[in-house]
Amino acid sequence: MSPDAPTWLGVWEQGQRATPLQRALLILQALAPDTSWHELCRLPLGERDARLLAAREALFGPRLEALARCPACGEALELGLRVADLRLGQGPAPQTVEHGDYRLTLRPLDSLDLASALGSPDPARTLTLRAVEEASHQGRSVEGAQLPPEVLDAVAHHLPETDPQADLLLRLSCPACRHAWAAPFDPLAFLWRELNAWALRTLAEVHRLASAYGWREQDILALSPARRQLYLGMVGP
């Protein structure tokens, strides 16, 4: 069962002083309150984003509207998408990469990897190294930090293959200039903007009804959306 309005307002309130990474985990914990924070942190990023898409669908429905701007001519594009269009159906899986005499096994990244990278002086290198589960050179095991730059470049190139859902791209074409490009889609950023707008709208409704009737916030939030709108209509503009 989807969390109720007070729970989502609590998530929104805590998220005001949280990082984007923490916001994602707050949403996931609202969806799975019996799952520990550490377990949620260990979810592959593609699984995390798939759950965020599920939360978005539960909260606001299966359709979403987005805007993009053509990088060639600046034309604004209005995008009508379905949540189902953003689910790739391809789960995370380790990948084996061979580069010269090097053989590497890569694993999907998770939220702990992101947190480590954000606190490092070279986030891209940190993420690349953390993705290397095993590495060998001519059959002998080597540490990730000993890998030469060209091997790390190969790792970075293949990393999206370990978790395609975590690297979601929209293939777009500009109707004005016919320029085609791939635009990244961030489920968390999109969902958080919608959650923020919903929370502000909901709190404004609570304020109007509380001012008119003297009701408590918890009683107003317990009303169904339809009944709340009826009462708001009776209060007037």
Side-chain angles (χ1 to χ4, degrees), residues 155-183:
V155 170
H157 176 75
H158 286 280
L159 193 52
E161 298 171 12
T162 67
D163 197 358
Q165 186 71 63
D167 191 39
L168 192 57
L169 296 174
L170 302 179
R171 305 293 176 181
L172 304 177
S173 178
C174 177
C177 71
R178 304 302 179 189
H179 176 71
W181 78 103

Side-chain angles (χ1 to χ4, degrees), residues 11 14 17 27 53 102 104 128 137 139 149 155 169 179 231-232:
V11 168
Q14 292 180 68
R17 52 186 181 275
I27 294 170
L53 288 172
Y102 288 87
L104 309 104
T128 301
H137 179 242
V155 170
L169 296 174
H179 176 71
Y231 281 117
L232 285 167

Side-chain angles (χ1 to χ4, degrees), residues 90-109:
Q90 186 175 348
Q95 296 288 321
T96 299
V97 174
E98 295 187 1
H99 187 85
D101 293 332
Y102 288 87
R103 182 180 176 87
L104 309 104
T105 300
L106 312 183
R107 66 168 180 83
L109 296 169

Side-chain angles (χ1 to χ4, degrees), residues 18-96:
T19 65
L21 179 58
Q22 291 168 336
R23 287 174 177 175
L25 295 170
L26 286 169
I27 294 170
L28 295 186
Q29 194 155 62
L31 294 169
D34 295 331
T35 305
S36 73
W37 189 266
H38 181 75
E39 288 177 287
L40 295 174
C41 287
R42 278 303 185 190
L43 287 175
L45 294 177
E47 172 65 20
R48 182 202 73 169
D49 287 354
R51 294 191 184 196
L52 292 175
L53 288 172
R56 195 277 168 195
E57 187 168 29
L59 279 167
F60 304 115
R63 295 193 61 82
L64 54 89
E65 304 294 329
L67 291 174
R69 192 167 294 279
C70 175
C73 71
E75 180 79 4
L77 282 74
E78 295 184 1
L79 309 176
L81 302 169
R82 295 181 63 86
V83 171
D85 299 331
L86 303 174
R87 294 194 184 105
L88 301 184
Q90 186 175 348
Q95 296 288 321
T96 299

